[in-house]
């Protein structure tokens, strides 16, 4: 806390104090208290979002509230964990009641859907930024790590890839989406669906998993690096939406789709003998799952086009410190 104003307490009470069903003690004291289940590992993750870097300054606050929580739920999904508790650190340029009401609506609507409780946070004044910390549980030893991929494993992704990044590319005038397509794609950017149930269903089946926040090829690259393997991805196998299908043939569209990020779909690896069980998950969970490539010995991720010819992309995953 930098600057304590009398309305800070009102602000918290009005917008962020809700019953915390999962906690022993929620918002209001010096710490929250939670009861951790025996035999479970506590899964903890935090993600920050800064205006101008992670979202356009004119973002609808309700979408932002959704997204701030969604990206954290997505980390739980990628680990195969069950999320329970969240903390919210907010930095606000000013107290704007209408903005806060919309933001907290977006946040709590999603929190209710996933039955997670906001148990604490911090509120400070400054340039708009927010940090969400999420905690959950996963049976001891069963978390889906990035480091377990083996040569010969299949590579899978959930949903379709690229719409969120196409919306960003459109805003930066790198790709031209028509109006209806932009409206649809930008909702994938602002209201991603965290694949929490899928992540849990993949425990014991996937050898490694990651959520696609920085771009399919870059994030798969993290799995490869940590697993000490390489990968090939078939461009023609990557699942795209009808919007993506219109742009995958252009260099900028292709770059957005394979390297753009912000989809929050899961990318995971699994042995070939799991193909049937994974296909069953599609029906069980209503999430499309597509096999896009193979884990190989060696290192690096290659993208293969028609006839198995390598395709060059001039961007890796998003790296905040690339120019530093
Ligand atoms: P402290 O000075 O002990 O850090 P604060 O005045 O910052 O206490 O916060 C008071 C209570 O309100 C604490 O329980 C804290 O977790 C909670 N809190 C503060 N900001 C938020 C927020 N944005 N969302 C949820 N809880 C918050
Ligand atoms: Mg504080």
């Amino acid at each position: 806390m930098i600057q304590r104003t009398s309305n800070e307490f009102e602000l918290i009470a009005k917008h962020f104090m809700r019953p915390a069903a999962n906690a022993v003690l929620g918002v209001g004291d010096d710490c929250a208290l939670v009861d951790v289940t025996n035999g479970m590992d506590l899964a903890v993750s935090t993600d920050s979002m800064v205006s101008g870097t992670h979202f356009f300054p004119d973002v609808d606050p309700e979408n932002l509230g959704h997204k701030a929580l969604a990206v954290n739920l997505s980390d739980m999904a990628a680990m195969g964990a069950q999320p329970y508790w969240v903390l919210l650190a907010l930095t606000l340029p000013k107290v704007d009641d209408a903005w806060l009401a919309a933001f907290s609506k977006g946040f709590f609507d999603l929190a209710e859907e996933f039955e997670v409780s906001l148990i604490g946070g911090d509120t400070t004044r400054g340039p708009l930024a927010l940090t969400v910390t999420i905690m959950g549980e996963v049976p001891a030893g069963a978390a889906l790590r990035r480091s377990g991929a083996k040569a010969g494993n299949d590579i899978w992704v959930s949903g379709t890839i690229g719409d969120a990044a196409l919306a960003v590319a459109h805003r930066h005038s790198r790709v031209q989406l028509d109006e209806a397509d932009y409206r649809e794609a930008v909702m994938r950017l602002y209201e991603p669906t965290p694949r929490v149930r899928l992540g849990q269903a993949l425990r014991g089946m996937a050898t490694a998993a990651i959520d696609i926040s920085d771009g399919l090829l870059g994030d798969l690259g993290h799995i490869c690096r940590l697993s000490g393997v390489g990968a090939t991805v078939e461009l023609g196998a990557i699942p795209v939406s009808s919007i993506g299908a219109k742009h995958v043939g252009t260099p900028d569209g292709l770059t957005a789709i394979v390297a753009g990020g912000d989809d929050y779909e899961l990318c995971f690896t699994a042995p070939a003998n799991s193909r049937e069980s994974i296909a069953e998950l599609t029906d069980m969970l209503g999430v499309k799952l597509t096999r896009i490539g193979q884990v190989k010995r060696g290192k690096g991720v290659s993208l293969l086009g028609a006839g198995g010819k390598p395709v060059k992309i001039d961007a890796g995953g998003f790296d905040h410190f690339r120019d530093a």
Side-chain angles (χ1 to χ4, degrees), residues 106-136:
F107 189 95
F108 282 113
D109 282 355
L110 190 66
E112 269 165 38
E113 188 183 330
F114 283 87
E115 299 181 320
V116 296
S117 298
L118 180 66
I119 59 168
D122 201 20
T123 308
T124 55
R125 195 180 289 265
L128 180 61
L130 36 118
T131 297
V132 173
T133 302
I134 194 161
M135 294 180 288

Side-chain angles (χ1 to χ4, degrees), residues 23-34 87 118-120 135:
V24 177
L25 186 64
V27 170
D29 213 310
D30 296 308
C31 288
L33 300 171
V34 301
L87 298 150
L118 180 66
I119 59 168
M135 294 180 288

Side-chain angles (χ1 to χ4, degrees), residues 8 12 60 67 103 107 147 175 182 208 211 213 228 231 244 306 309-310:
E8 181 197 328
I12 295 165
D60 174 338
K67 181 151 184 179
F103 175 87
F107 189 95
S147 54
V175 209
Y182 174 69
D211 62 324
S213 56
K309 281 225 309 258

